[in-house]
Amino acid sequence: YDNYALVYSCTQIIPRFLRIESTWILSRTPTLSQTTIDTLRSLLSNSGVNPYIFMNTEQSAAACRRTTA
């Protein structure tokens, strides 16, 4: 992908009873424009996926810094 990717996965664990749904928004940059986020949320919503249950992943250098024990 060039800028971002929207990935959806649905795995049936027990058919008709239990499934696992996962969705990822992947980006080549630490942030996406609000316009892009709104577009992706609209695509998810139109596909029946709740676009407001995502957890953001902190992409700052401080969040990715390793600590020594």
Side-chain angles (χ1 to χ4, degrees):
Y1 61 96
D2 292 326
N3 298 308
Y4 60 86
L6 179 61
V7 181
Y8 172 80
S9 172
C10 180
T11 302
Q12 294 287 328
I13 305 300
I14 301 172
R16 295 181 296 209
F17 293 104
L18 179 62
R19 69 179 183 210
I20 296 174
E21 290 182 287
S22 300
T23 305
W24 299 271
I25 296 174
L26 308 173
S27 174
R28 294 218 183 257
T29 60
T31 60
L32 290 171
S33 72
Q34 191 59 50
T35 301
T36 299
I37 292 169
D38 292 344
T39 299
L40 295 172
R41 283 182 173 162
S42 179
L43 286 168
L44 289 168
S45 183
N46 291 338
S47 298
V49 177
N50 183 347
Y52 297 98
I53 58 172
F54 286 89
M55 296 184 324
N56 288 326
T57 301
E58 178 63 42
Q59 297 292 324
S60 69
C64 295
R65 193 170 294 134
R66 293 182 126 187
T67 58
T68 57

